[in-house]
Amino acid sequence: FFTNAISSLNSDNQYSSKSIKYRIKKFIDDEDPKKILSDDKLVELVRAEGIDIARRTVAKYRESLNIPSSIIRRRMKNSVL
């Protein structure tokens, strides 16, 4: 019944894994096909929103959303152009 919680960088706030997955998906959905976001860049973007997260966690969440790696997304999006 409970979801995992991730801590905030600056306060005692906590974020659900579901809300972080939504943020990651939104970043990827909005990415420029010429500038595909790596997991490291996704970590930077999520941390800029004040959420303390590791690259491994971003990769795990991305995979749970069935979103391919940046290399595969780059190939997919550039083949469409």
Side-chain angles (χ1 to χ4, degrees):
F1 296 130
F2 300 103
T3 61
N4 294 334
I6 305 280
S7 298
S8 170
L9 288 170
N10 302 324
S11 66
D12 291 334
N13 292 341
Q14 292 194 332
Y15 299 89
S16 72
S17 59
K18 197 173 194 176
S19 69
I20 297 170
K21 286 179 186 181
Y22 173 80
R23 284 179 166 88
I24 292 169
K25 182 171 178 2
K26 181 86 171 108
F27 285 133
I28 292 172
D29 287 346
D30 295 343
E31 71 188 353
D32 181 353
K34 295 179 182 175
K35 293 183 181 180
I36 301 298
L37 301 171
S38 67
D39 288 346
D40 288 325
K41 185 61 180 174
L42 289 167
V43 167
E44 288 178 29
L45 293 170
V46 173
R47 284 187 176 171
E49 294 187 353
I51 301 168
D52 186 22
I53 194 166
R55 189 203 56 78
R56 287 182 64 183
T57 306
V58 168
K60 181 175 80 171
Y61 287 175
R62 178 183 48 73
E63 289 171 1
S64 74
L65 293 166
N66 294 318
I67 298 172
S69 69
S70 60
I71 295 168
I72 295 171
R73 290 194 322 273
R74 182 175 294 116
R75 288 180 189 153
M76 289 169 45
K77 290 184 179 185
N78 286 332
S79 68
V80 173
L81 297 176

